[in-house]
Structures are given as C-alpha cells and as structure tokens.
Amino acid sequence: PRVARQPVEGAGQQGPGLEAAMASVRSSAASKRGQRRSRSEEKLIRQEEERKHLEEEELRLAAEQLEREILEQKRLEEEERARIAAEDKIRKDNELPELLQILKMNMASVQKLHKNLREATKWQRYMKCDGTPDPTIPQ
C-alpha cells in the first residue's frame, strides 16, 4: 500500500538524513511497485507516520492551550468590567443625594434672585411713577 504524504508545518526538522532516507525509500518503492517493502523501509515509513502524528498532536494541543488562554483572558476582562461597573454604581448611588441637595440649594437661590429682580424692577417703576396707573396691577 502506498502512503499519501500531507505537508505538516515544521516537517523536515529532524535533519536532511531522515528526509534523504525517506526520499530514497519512496523512490525505490515507486520503482518496485509490485514488490514488498523491506522491514527497514516499513520501519522508516512507520517512524515518519508516527512523527507526523506527534507533530499534529502537538499542534492540536498548542491550539487548544491558546484557545483556553484566550477564553481565560476574556473572562478576566469581563470580570474587571463588571467590577468597575459595580464600583461606578456604588459611587453614583453615594453621590446622588449630595447632588440633589446641591441642585435644591441652587434652585432656591435662582428663585430668590428672580424674586429680588422682580421686586427691584417693580420698585424702580414705582419710583418713576408720574401718576398714571400701574399696568401690572389688574383692575
């Protein structure tokens, strides 16, 4: 049976000796199509397949580890956002009554200023009175 080779990332890292041996095994296997492989050829093929399988397994494990790390990072970021949101809510809840008190004082001051302005305007008009009736007083 013929073994189909699939390119694997990082293949060929064991050195040119193994690759050369594999190439000679493949070329001799191609020329001896009908003949049975020797034990050394089969051993080399099994070693190559095992090496590929180990590389694929390492890649899969590395990908799983990376995915776990990404998920953990996302979880930590979400926890941090939730913690910050909770702190902001507590701070806002604490500041709201104080802010309402300040707004009430400002509203009272503004109303007092408007009342004083109306009274001052009415007093100025009274002081300029030339005897004609005051149009602001209903008859």
Side-chain angles (χ1 to χ4, degrees):
R2 187 172 179 177
V3 176
R5 288 194 73 211
Q6 295 179 357
V8 176
E9 197 173 26
Q13 294 178 353
Q14 262 110 20
L18 181 60
E19 287 297 320
M22 287 304 298
S24 70
V25 167
R26 282 192 292 273
S27 65
S28 66
S31 65
K32 302 177 185 176
R33 294 211 190 258
Q35 297 178 1
R36 183 174 171 91
R37 292 188 180 119
S38 69
R39 287 183 186 167
S40 63
E41 290 174 340
E42 289 178 358
K43 184 178 179 183
L44 284 174
I45 291 172
R46 279 194 309 273
Q47 288 175 346
E48 178 69 14
E49 288 174 351
E50 187 176 322
R51 184 185 61 80
K52 285 181 188 178
H53 177 70
L54 288 174
E55 286 177 355
E56 290 172 355
E57 184 68 16
E58 287 174 5
L59 289 173
R60 184 186 64 77
L61 291 174
E64 288 176 358
Q65 178 64 26
L66 180 62
E67 185 176 347
R68 282 192 299 270
E69 289 173 1
I70 290 171
L71 290 174
E72 178 67 12
Q73 182 66 28
K74 286 182 180 179
R75 184 187 64 79
L76 291 174
E77 288 172 357
E78 184 62 33
E79 285 178 0
E80 181 68 13
R81 278 194 289 272
R83 184 188 61 78
I84 290 171
E87 287 175 358
D88 282 347
K89 184 178 182 333
I90 291 170
R91 181 185 50 82
K92 287 177 184 178
D93 289 346
N94 290 338
E95 290 176 354
L96 186 61
E98 182 181 341
L99 178 62
L100 289 175
Q101 183 64 30
I102 291 170
L103 288 174
K104 286 179 183 178
M105 288 187 320
N106 286 343
M107 182 61 115
S109 297
V110 168
Q111 289 174 345
K112 184 177 179 182
L113 285 174
H114 279 290
K115 181 182 175 199
N116 289 343
L117 181 63
R118 282 192 306 271
E119 288 176 358
T121 304
K122 188 174 181 181
W123 180 252
Q124 286 175 354
R125 187 177 299 138
Y126 177 78
M127 293 304 289
K128 289 182 182 179
C129 183
D130 57 358
T132 59
D134 186 2
T136 60
I137 299 175
Q139 303 258 337

Short mmCIF file of all heavy atoms in Angstrom, two decimals, residues 8-72:
data_model
loop_
_atom_site.label_atom_id
_atom_site.label_comp_id
_atom_site.label_asym_id
_atom_site.label_seq_id
_atom_site.Cartn_x
_atom_site.Cartn_y
_atom_site.Cartn_z
N VAL A 8 3.11 18.93 6.61
CA VAL A 8 2.88 19.26 8.02
C VAL A 8 3.79 20.41 8.37
O VAL A 8 4.96 20.41 8.01
CB VAL A 8 3.18 18.05 8.93
CG1 VAL A 8 3.05 18.43 10.38
CG2 VAL A 8 2.29 16.89 8.57
N GLU A 9 3.25 21.39 9.08
CA GLU A 9 4.04 22.54 9.48
C GLU A 9 5.17 22.08 10.38
O GLU A 9 4.98 21.32 11.31
CB GLU A 9 3.15 23.53 10.24
CG GLU A 9 3.74 24.88 10.35
CD GLU A 9 2.72 25.85 10.94
OE1 GLU A 9 1.83 25.41 11.67
OE2 GLU A 9 2.86 27.02 10.66
N GLY A 10 6.39 22.50 10.07
CA GLY A 10 7.53 22.13 10.87
C GLY A 10 8.16 20.82 10.42
O GLY A 10 9.05 20.29 11.07
N ALA A 11 7.69 20.23 9.31
CA ALA A 11 8.26 18.98 8.83
C ALA A 11 9.68 19.22 8.34
O ALA A 11 10.01 20.29 7.86
CB ALA A 11 7.39 18.40 7.71
N GLY A 12 10.49 18.22 8.41
CA GLY A 12 11.86 18.31 7.92
C GLY A 12 12.80 18.87 8.97
O GLY A 12 13.91 19.26 8.65
N GLN A 13 12.39 18.91 10.22
CA GLN A 13 13.23 19.48 11.25
C GLN A 13 14.19 18.46 11.84
O GLN A 13 15.04 18.79 12.62
CB GLN A 13 12.37 20.09 12.36
CG GLN A 13 11.58 21.27 11.89
CD GLN A 13 10.69 21.81 13.00
OE1 GLN A 13 10.59 21.23 14.06
NE2 GLN A 13 10.07 22.94 12.73
N GLN A 14 14.05 17.16 11.50
CA GLN A 14 14.93 16.15 12.04
C GLN A 14 16.24 16.07 11.26
O GLN A 14 17.09 15.29 11.57
CB GLN A 14 14.25 14.78 12.03
CG GLN A 14 13.67 14.47 13.39
CD GLN A 14 12.17 14.49 13.38
OE1 GLN A 14 11.58 14.38 12.32
NE2 GLN A 14 11.55 14.63 14.52
N GLY A 15 16.38 16.82 10.24
CA GLY A 15 17.64 16.86 9.52
C GLY A 15 17.52 16.24 8.14
O GLY A 15 16.55 15.54 7.83
N PRO A 16 18.50 16.49 7.30
CA PRO A 16 18.44 16.02 5.92
C PRO A 16 18.62 14.52 5.81
O PRO A 16 18.22 13.91 4.84
CB PRO A 16 19.58 16.78 5.24
CG PRO A 16 20.50 17.19 6.34
CD PRO A 16 19.66 17.33 7.56
N GLY A 17 19.22 13.87 6.82
CA GLY A 17 19.45 12.43 6.75
C GLY A 17 18.16 11.65 6.67
O GLY A 17 18.01 10.76 5.84
N LEU A 18 17.21 11.98 7.53
CA LEU A 18 15.93 11.27 7.54
C LEU A 18 15.14 11.56 6.28
O LEU A 18 14.56 10.66 5.68
CB LEU A 18 15.12 11.65 8.78
CG LEU A 18 13.76 10.96 8.93
CD1 LEU A 18 13.96 9.44 9.02
CD2 LEU A 18 13.04 11.46 10.15
N GLU A 19 15.15 12.81 5.87
CA GLU A 19 14.43 13.17 4.64
C GLU A 19 15.03 12.47 3.43
O GLU A 19 14.31 12.00 2.56
CB GLU A 19 14.44 14.70 4.44
CG GLU A 19 13.52 15.44 5.38
CD GLU A 19 12.06 15.07 5.18
OE1 GLU A 19 11.62 14.91 4.02
OE2 GLU A 19 11.36 14.92 6.20
N ALA A 20 16.37 12.40 3.37
CA ALA A 20 17.02 11.72 2.25
C ALA A 20 16.66 10.25 2.26
O ALA A 20 16.39 9.64 1.21
CB ALA A 20 18.53 11.92 2.32
N ALA A 21 16.66 9.66 3.46
CA ALA A 21 16.30 8.24 3.57
C ALA A 21 14.87 8.02 3.12
O ALA A 21 14.57 7.06 2.41
CB ALA A 21 16.51 7.76 4.99
N MET A 22 13.98 8.92 3.54
CA MET A 22 12.58 8.81 3.14
C MET A 22 12.42 8.97 1.64
O MET A 22 11.64 8.27 1.01
CB MET A 22 11.73 9.84 3.89
CG MET A 22 11.52 9.52 5.36
SD MET A 22 10.79 7.92 5.65
CE MET A 22 9.22 8.11 4.84
N ALA A 23 13.17 9.90 1.05
CA ALA A 23 13.09 10.11 -0.39
C ALA A 23 13.58 8.87 -1.13
O ALA A 23 12.97 8.46 -2.13
CB ALA A 23 13.92 11.32 -0.78
N SER A 24 14.66 8.26 -0.64
CA SER A 24 15.16 7.05 -1.32
C SER A 24 14.17 5.91 -1.16
O SER A 24 13.97 5.11 -2.06
CB SER A 24 16.54 6.67 -0.80
OG SER A 24 16.44 6.18 0.53
N VAL A 25 13.53 5.83 0.02
CA VAL A 25 12.53 4.78 0.24
C VAL A 25 11.37 4.98 -0.71
O VAL A 25 10.88 4.04 -1.33
CB VAL A 25 12.05 4.80 1.72
CG1 VAL A 25 10.80 3.96 1.90
CG2 VAL A 25 13.15 4.32 2.63
N ARG A 26 10.93 6.21 -0.85
CA ARG A 26 9.80 6.49 -1.74
C ARG A 26 10.17 6.19 -3.20
O ARG A 26 9.37 5.63 -3.94
CB ARG A 26 9.34 7.93 -1.57
CG ARG A 26 8.50 8.14 -0.32
CD ARG A 26 7.83 9.49 -0.34
NE ARG A 26 8.79 10.58 -0.22
CZ ARG A 26 9.23 11.07 0.94
NH1 ARG A 26 8.77 10.59 2.06
NH2 ARG A 26 10.11 12.04 0.96
N SER A 27 11.36 6.61 -3.60
CA SER A 27 11.75 6.38 -4.99
C SER A 27 11.93 4.90 -5.27
O SER A 27 11.53 4.40 -6.32
CB SER A 27 13.02 7.16 -5.34
OG SER A 27 14.11 6.65 -4.58
N SER A 28 12.51 4.20 -4.31
CA SER A 28 12.68 2.76 -4.53
C SER A 28 11.33 2.06 -4.46
O SER A 28 11.09 1.10 -5.18
CB SER A 28 13.66 2.16 -3.51
OG SER A 28 13.12 2.23 -2.22
N ALA A 29 10.45 2.58 -3.62
CA ALA A 29 9.12 1.98 -3.52
C ALA A 29 8.36 2.22 -4.81
O ALA A 29 7.60 1.36 -5.26
CB ALA A 29 8.36 2.57 -2.34
N ALA A 30 8.56 3.37 -5.43
CA ALA A 30 7.86 3.66 -6.68
C ALA A 30 8.37 2.75 -7.80
O ALA A 30 7.60 2.32 -8.67
CB ALA A 30 8.05 5.12 -7.07
N SER A 31 9.66 2.45 -7.76
CA SER A 31 10.21 1.60 -8.81
C SER A 31 9.86 0.13 -8.58
O SER A 31 9.85 -0.66 -9.50
CB SER A 31 11.73 1.78 -8.91
OG SER A 31 12.33 1.33 -7.72
N LYS A 32 9.59 -0.24 -7.34
CA LYS A 32 9.27 -1.64 -7.02
C LYS A 32 7.79 -1.79 -6.72
O LYS A 32 7.42 -2.52 -5.83
CB LYS A 32 10.06 -2.06 -5.77
CG LYS A 32 11.54 -1.95 -5.86
CD LYS A 32 12.11 -2.34 -4.52
CE LYS A 32 13.60 -2.13 -4.47
NZ LYS A 32 14.14 -2.43 -3.16
N ARG A 33 6.96 -1.14 -7.42
CA ARG A 33 5.53 -1.08 -7.11
C ARG A 33 4.94 -2.45 -6.75
O ARG A 33 4.17 -2.54 -5.81
CB ARG A 33 4.76 -0.48 -8.27
CG ARG A 33 5.11 0.95 -8.47
CD ARG A 33 3.92 1.69 -9.01
NE ARG A 33 4.36 3.01 -9.42
CZ ARG A 33 4.16 4.09 -8.70
NH1 ARG A 33 3.51 4.01 -7.59
NH2 ARG A 33 4.60 5.25 -9.12
N GLY A 34 5.25 -3.38 -7.43
CA GLY A 34 4.67 -4.68 -7.18
C GLY A 34 5.39 -5.44 -6.09
O GLY A 34 4.90 -6.46 -5.61
N GLN A 35 6.57 -5.01 -5.69
CA GLN A 35 7.36 -5.75 -4.72
C GLN A 35 7.01 -5.33 -3.29
O GLN A 35 6.60 -4.21 -3.04
CB GLN A 35 8.85 -5.52 -4.97
CG GLN A 35 9.29 -6.02 -6.32
CD GLN A 35 10.76 -5.71 -6.54
OE1 GLN A 35 11.41 -5.16 -5.67
NE2 GLN A 35 11.27 -6.08 -7.70
N ARG A 36 7.26 -6.22 -2.38
CA ARG A 36 7.00 -5.95 -0.96
C ARG A 36 8.15 -5.11 -0.40
O ARG A 36 9.30 -5.28 -0.76
CB ARG A 36 6.90 -7.28 -0.22
CG ARG A 36 6.57 -7.13 1.22
CD ARG A 36 6.36 -8.51 1.84
NE ARG A 36 6.24 -8.38 3.27
CZ ARG A 36 5.10 -8.22 3.91
NH1 ARG A 36 3.99 -8.19 3.21
NH2 ARG A 36 5.07 -8.12 5.22
N ARG A 37 7.82 -4.20 0.53
CA ARG A 37 8.83 -3.35 1.16
C ARG A 37 9.65 -4.15 2.16
O ARG A 37 9.13 -5.06 2.81
CB ARG A 37 8.17 -2.18 1.88
CG ARG A 37 7.51 -1.21 0.96
CD ARG A 37 7.06 -0.01 1.78
NE ARG A 37 6.41 0.94 0.90
CZ ARG A 37 5.16 1.33 1.02
NH1 ARG A 37 4.43 0.90 2.00
NH2 ARG A 37 4.66 2.19 0.16
N SER A 38 10.85 -3.72 2.34
CA SER A 38 11.68 -4.38 3.34
C SER A 38 11.29 -3.88 4.73
O SER A 38 10.59 -2.88 4.87
CB SER A 38 13.16 -4.09 3.06
OG SER A 38 13.43 -2.73 3.33
N ARG A 39 11.79 -4.55 5.73
CA ARG A 39 11.47 -4.17 7.10
C ARG A 39 11.98 -2.77 7.42
O ARG A 39 11.34 -2.00 8.11
CB ARG A 39 12.08 -5.16 8.08
CG ARG A 39 11.37 -6.47 8.07
CD ARG A 39 11.96 -7.38 9.09
NE ARG A 39 11.35 -8.71 8.97
CZ ARG A 39 11.81 -9.77 9.55
NH1 ARG A 39 12.89 -9.71 10.29
NH2 ARG A 39 11.21 -10.93 9.41
N SER A 40 13.16 -2.43 6.94
CA SER A 40 13.71 -1.10 7.21
C SER A 40 12.88 -0.01 6.56
O SER A 40 12.68 1.05 7.13
CB SER A 40 15.17 -1.01 6.74
OG SER A 40 15.24 -1.19 5.34
N GLU A 41 12.38 -0.29 5.34
CA GLU A 41 11.51 0.69 4.67
C GLU A 41 10.22 0.88 5.46
O GLU A 41 9.77 2.00 5.66
CB GLU A 41 11.20 0.23 3.25
CG GLU A 41 12.37 0.29 2.31
CD GLU A 41 12.04 -0.32 0.96
OE1 GLU A 41 11.07 -1.10 0.86
OE2 GLU A 41 12.76 0.00 0.00
N GLU A 42 9.64 -0.22 5.88
CA GLU A 42 8.40 -0.14 6.65
C GLU A 42 8.64 0.57 7.98
O GLU A 42 7.81 1.35 8.43
CB GLU A 42 7.83 -1.54 6.88
CG GLU A 42 7.26 -2.15 5.62
CD GLU A 42 6.74 -3.56 5.84
OE1 GLU A 42 6.85 -4.09 6.98
OE2 GLU A 42 6.21 -4.12 4.87
N LYS A 43 9.78 0.29 8.58
CA LYS A 43 10.11 0.94 9.84
C LYS A 43 10.25 2.45 9.64
O LYS A 43 9.75 3.25 10.44
CB LYS A 43 11.41 0.37 10.40
CG LYS A 43 11.79 0.91 11.75
CD LYS A 43 13.04 0.26 12.29
CE LYS A 43 13.41 0.85 13.63
NZ LYS A 43 14.66 0.29 14.15
N LEU A 44 10.93 2.86 8.55
CA LEU A 44 11.07 4.29 8.25
C LEU A 44 9.71 4.93 8.00
O LEU A 44 9.45 6.04 8.47
CB LEU A 44 11.98 4.50 7.04
CG LEU A 44 13.47 4.33 7.28
CD1 LEU A 44 14.22 4.42 5.96
CD2 LEU A 44 13.98 5.37 8.25
N ILE A 45 8.86 4.24 7.28
CA ILE A 45 7.53 4.77 6.99
C ILE A 45 6.73 4.90 8.29
O ILE A 45 6.07 5.92 8.53
CB ILE A 45 6.80 3.88 5.97
CG1 ILE A 45 7.48 4.03 4.60
CG2 ILE A 45 5.33 4.27 5.88
CD1 ILE A 45 6.97 3.06 3.56
N ARG A 46 6.80 3.90 9.16
CA ARG A 46 6.10 3.97 10.44
C ARG A 46 6.64 5.11 11.30
O ARG A 46 5.88 5.83 11.94
CB ARG A 46 6.24 2.64 11.20
CG ARG A 46 5.27 1.58 10.75
CD ARG A 46 5.20 0.43 11.74
NE ARG A 46 6.48 -0.14 12.10
CZ ARG A 46 7.12 -1.11 11.44
NH1 ARG A 46 6.55 -1.62 10.37
NH2 ARG A 46 8.29 -1.55 11.85
N GLN A 47 7.98 5.26 11.29
CA GLN A 47 8.58 6.36 12.05
C GLN A 47 8.11 7.71 11.52
O GLN A 47 7.81 8.62 12.30
CB GLN A 47 10.11 6.27 12.01
CG GLN A 47 10.69 5.16 12.83
CD GLN A 47 12.20 5.04 12.64
OE1 GLN A 47 12.77 5.62 11.72
NE2 GLN A 47 12.83 4.27 13.53
N GLU A 48 8.06 7.85 10.21
CA GLU A 48 7.61 9.10 9.59
C GLU A 48 6.15 9.38 9.95
O GLU A 48 5.78 10.49 10.31
CB GLU A 48 7.79 9.05 8.06
CG GLU A 48 7.31 10.26 7.33
CD GLU A 48 8.14 11.51 7.57
OE1 GLU A 48 9.27 11.42 8.10
OE2 GLU A 48 7.66 12.59 7.21
N GLU A 49 5.32 8.32 9.86
CA GLU A 49 3.91 8.49 10.21
C GLU A 49 3.75 8.84 11.68
O GLU A 49 2.94 9.69 12.05
CB GLU A 49 3.14 7.21 9.88
CG GLU A 49 2.96 6.98 8.39
CD GLU A 49 2.32 5.63 8.09
OE1 GLU A 49 2.18 4.79 9.01
OE2 GLU A 49 1.97 5.42 6.92
N GLU A 50 4.53 8.21 12.52
CA GLU A 50 4.47 8.50 13.95
C GLU A 50 4.91 9.93 14.23
O GLU A 50 4.31 10.64 15.03
CB GLU A 50 5.35 7.51 14.72
CG GLU A 50 5.22 7.62 16.22
CD GLU A 50 6.03 6.56 16.93
OE1 GLU A 50 6.09 5.41 16.45
OE2 GLU A 50 6.59 6.90 17.99
N ARG A 51 5.98 10.36 13.57
CA ARG A 51 6.46 11.72 13.73
C ARG A 51 5.39 12.72 13.30
O ARG A 51 5.12 13.70 13.99
CB ARG A 51 7.75 11.94 12.91
CG ARG A 51 8.35 13.33 13.11
CD ARG A 51 9.54 13.55 12.20
NE ARG A 51 9.20 13.49 10.79
CZ ARG A 51 8.64 14.49 10.10
NH1 ARG A 51 8.33 15.60 10.70
NH2 ARG A 51 8.37 14.35 8.83
N LYS A 52 4.75 12.45 12.15
CA LYS A 52 3.68 13.34 11.68
C LYS A 52 2.53 13.37 12.68
O LYS A 52 1.99 14.43 12.97
CB LYS A 52 3.15 12.86 10.32
CG LYS A 52 4.05 13.16 9.17
CD LYS A 52 3.40 12.66 7.90
CE LYS A 52 4.33 12.74 6.73
NZ LYS A 52 3.70 12.22 5.50
N HIS A 53 2.18 12.19 13.17
CA HIS A 53 1.08 12.12 14.14
C HIS A 53 1.43 12.92 15.40
O HIS A 53 0.58 13.66 15.92
CB HIS A 53 0.80 10.66 14.49
CG HIS A 53 -0.26 10.49 15.52
ND1 HIS A 53 -1.59 10.76 15.27
CD2 HIS A 53 -0.20 10.11 16.82
CE1 HIS A 53 -2.30 10.55 16.36
NE2 HIS A 53 -1.47 10.14 17.33
N LEU A 54 2.67 12.79 15.88
CA LEU A 54 3.09 13.55 17.06
C LEU A 54 3.07 15.05 16.80
O LEU A 54 2.65 15.83 17.65
CB LEU A 54 4.48 13.10 17.51
CG LEU A 54 4.56 11.71 18.15
CD1 LEU A 54 6.02 11.34 18.42
CD2 LEU A 54 3.74 11.66 19.42
N GLU A 55 3.52 15.45 15.61
CA GLU A 55 3.51 16.89 15.27
C GLU A 55 2.08 17.42 15.22
O GLU A 55 1.79 18.50 15.73
CB GLU A 55 4.20 17.13 13.93
CG GLU A 55 5.70 17.01 13.98
CD GLU A 55 6.34 17.17 12.62
OE1 GLU A 55 5.61 17.29 11.60
OE2 GLU A 55 7.58 17.18 12.55
N GLU A 56 1.19 16.64 14.60
CA GLU A 56 -0.21 17.06 14.53
C GLU A 56 -0.82 17.15 15.92
O GLU A 56 -1.57 18.08 16.22
CB GLU A 56 -1.01 16.08 13.66
CG GLU A 56 -0.67 16.15 12.19
CD GLU A 56 -1.32 15.04 11.37
OE1 GLU A 56 -1.97 14.14 11.96
OE2 GLU A 56 -1.15 15.07 10.15
N GLU A 57 -0.48 16.19 16.77
CA GLU A 57 -0.99 16.20 18.14
C GLU A 57 -0.46 17.41 18.90
O GLU A 57 -1.20 18.07 19.64
CB GLU A 57 -0.60 14.90 18.85
CG GLU A 57 -1.15 14.76 20.24
CD GLU A 57 -2.66 14.61 20.29
OE1 GLU A 57 -3.28 14.30 19.26
OE2 GLU A 57 -3.23 14.80 21.38
N GLU A 58 0.82 17.72 18.72
CA GLU A 58 1.41 18.90 19.37
C GLU A 58 0.73 20.17 18.89
O GLU A 58 0.43 21.07 19.69
CB GLU A 58 2.91 18.97 19.10
CG GLU A 58 3.72 17.94 19.85
CD GLU A 58 5.19 17.95 19.45
OE1 GLU A 58 5.60 18.82 18.66
OE2 GLU A 58 5.93 17.08 19.95
N LEU A 59 0.47 20.26 17.59
CA LEU A 59 -0.21 21.44 17.05
C LEU A 59 -1.62 21.56 17.62
O LEU A 59 -2.07 22.65 17.99
CB LEU A 59 -0.27 21.38 15.52
CG LEU A 59 1.05 21.60 14.80
CD1 LEU A 59 0.89 21.34 13.30
CD2 LEU A 59 1.56 23.02 15.03
N ARG A 60 -2.32 20.43 17.71
CA ARG A 60 -3.68 20.45 18.25
C ARG A 60 -3.66 20.88 19.71
O ARG A 60 -4.46 21.72 20.13
CB ARG A 60 -4.30 19.06 18.11
CG ARG A 60 -5.77 19.00 18.56
CD ARG A 60 -6.31 17.59 18.55
NE ARG A 60 -5.66 16.72 19.49
CZ ARG A 60 -5.89 16.71 20.81
NH1 ARG A 60 -6.75 17.54 21.34
NH2 ARG A 60 -5.25 15.86 21.61
N LEU A 61 -2.73 20.33 20.48
CA LEU A 61 -2.64 20.70 21.90
C LEU A 61 -2.27 22.17 22.07
O LEU A 61 -2.80 22.86 22.94
CB LEU A 61 -1.61 19.81 22.61
CG LEU A 61 -2.00 18.34 22.78
CD1 LEU A 61 -0.85 17.55 23.38
CD2 LEU A 61 -3.25 18.21 23.62
N ALA A 62 -1.36 22.66 21.22
CA ALA A 62 -0.98 24.08 21.29
C ALA A 62 -2.18 24.96 20.96
O ALA A 62 -2.40 25.99 21.61
CB ALA A 62 0.18 24.36 20.34
N ALA A 63 -2.98 24.56 19.95
CA ALA A 63 -4.16 25.34 19.58
C ALA A 63 -5.18 25.33 20.72
O ALA A 63 -5.79 26.37 21.02
CB ALA A 63 -4.78 24.78 18.31
N GLU A 64 -5.37 24.18 21.36
CA GLU A 64 -6.30 24.11 22.49
C GLU A 64 -5.83 24.98 23.64
O GLU A 64 -6.63 25.66 24.27
CB GLU A 64 -6.46 22.66 22.95
CG GLU A 64 -7.26 21.79 22.01
CD GLU A 64 -7.31 20.33 22.46
OE1 GLU A 64 -6.70 19.99 23.50
OE2 GLU A 64 -7.98 19.55 21.77
N GLN A 65 -4.52 24.94 23.93
CA GLN A 65 -3.97 25.76 25.01
C GLN A 65 -4.17 27.24 24.71
O GLN A 65 -4.56 28.02 25.59
CB GLN A 65 -2.47 25.45 25.20
CG GLN A 65 -1.80 26.29 26.26
CD GLN A 65 -2.35 26.03 27.65
OE1 GLN A 65 -2.87 24.97 27.94
NE2 GLN A 65 -2.25 27.01 28.51
N LEU A 66 -3.92 27.63 23.46
CA LEU A 66 -4.11 29.03 23.06
C LEU A 66 -5.56 29.44 23.21
O LEU A 66 -5.86 30.53 23.72
CB LEU A 66 -3.64 29.23 21.61
CG LEU A 66 -3.77 30.63 21.04
CD1 LEU A 66 -2.90 31.60 21.84
CD2 LEU A 66 -3.37 30.64 19.58
N GLU A 67 -6.47 28.57 22.82
CA GLU A 67 -7.90 28.87 22.95
C GLU A 67 -8.29 29.02 24.42
O GLU A 67 -9.03 29.94 24.78
CB GLU A 67 -8.72 27.75 22.30
CG GLU A 67 -10.20 28.03 22.28
CD GLU A 67 -10.99 26.96 21.56
OE1 GLU A 67 -10.40 26.13 20.88
OE2 GLU A 67 -12.22 26.98 21.70
N ARG A 68 -7.76 28.13 25.29
CA ARG A 68 -8.04 28.25 26.72
C ARG A 68 -7.50 29.57 27.28
O ARG A 68 -8.17 30.23 28.08
CB ARG A 68 -7.42 27.08 27.48
CG ARG A 68 -8.22 25.79 27.38
CD ARG A 68 -7.74 24.74 28.38
NE ARG A 68 -6.35 24.36 28.18
CZ ARG A 68 -5.92 23.37 27.41
NH1 ARG A 68 -6.80 22.66 26.75
NH2 ARG A 68 -4.64 23.10 27.31
N GLU A 69 -6.31 29.96 26.85
CA GLU A 69 -5.73 31.22 27.32
C GLU A 69 -6.56 32.41 26.87
O GLU A 69 -6.78 33.35 27.64
CB GLU A 69 -4.29 31.35 26.82
CG GLU A 69 -3.32 30.39 27.49
CD GLU A 69 -1.94 30.41 26.86
OE1 GLU A 69 -1.72 31.19 25.90
OE2 GLU A 69 -1.08 29.65 27.33
N ILE A 70 -7.03 32.37 25.64
CA ILE A 70 -7.86 33.47 25.12
C ILE A 70 -9.17 33.55 25.91
O ILE A 70 -9.61 34.64 26.30
CB ILE A 70 -8.13 33.28 23.61
CG1 ILE A 70 -6.84 33.52 22.83
CG2 ILE A 70 -9.24 34.20 23.13
CD1 ILE A 70 -6.93 33.16 21.36
N LEU A 71 -9.80 32.39 26.15
CA LEU A 71 -11.05 32.39 26.92
C LEU A 71 -10.83 32.89 28.34
O LEU A 71 -11.66 33.64 28.88
CB LEU A 71 -11.65 30.98 26.94
CG LEU A 71 -12.23 30.47 25.61
CD1 LEU A 71 -12.65 29.01 25.75
CD2 LEU A 71 -13.39 31.33 25.16
N GLU A 72 -9.72 32.50 28.95
CA GLU A 72 -9.40 32.96 30.30
C GLU A 72 -9.20 34.48 30.32
O GLU A 72 -9.68 35.18 31.21
CB GLU A 72 -8.15 32.24 30.83
CG GLU A 72 -7.71 32.68 32.20
CD GLU A 72 -8.67 32.31 33.31
OE1 GLU A 72 -9.60 31.51 33.08
OE2 GLU A 72 -8.52 32.83 34.42
#
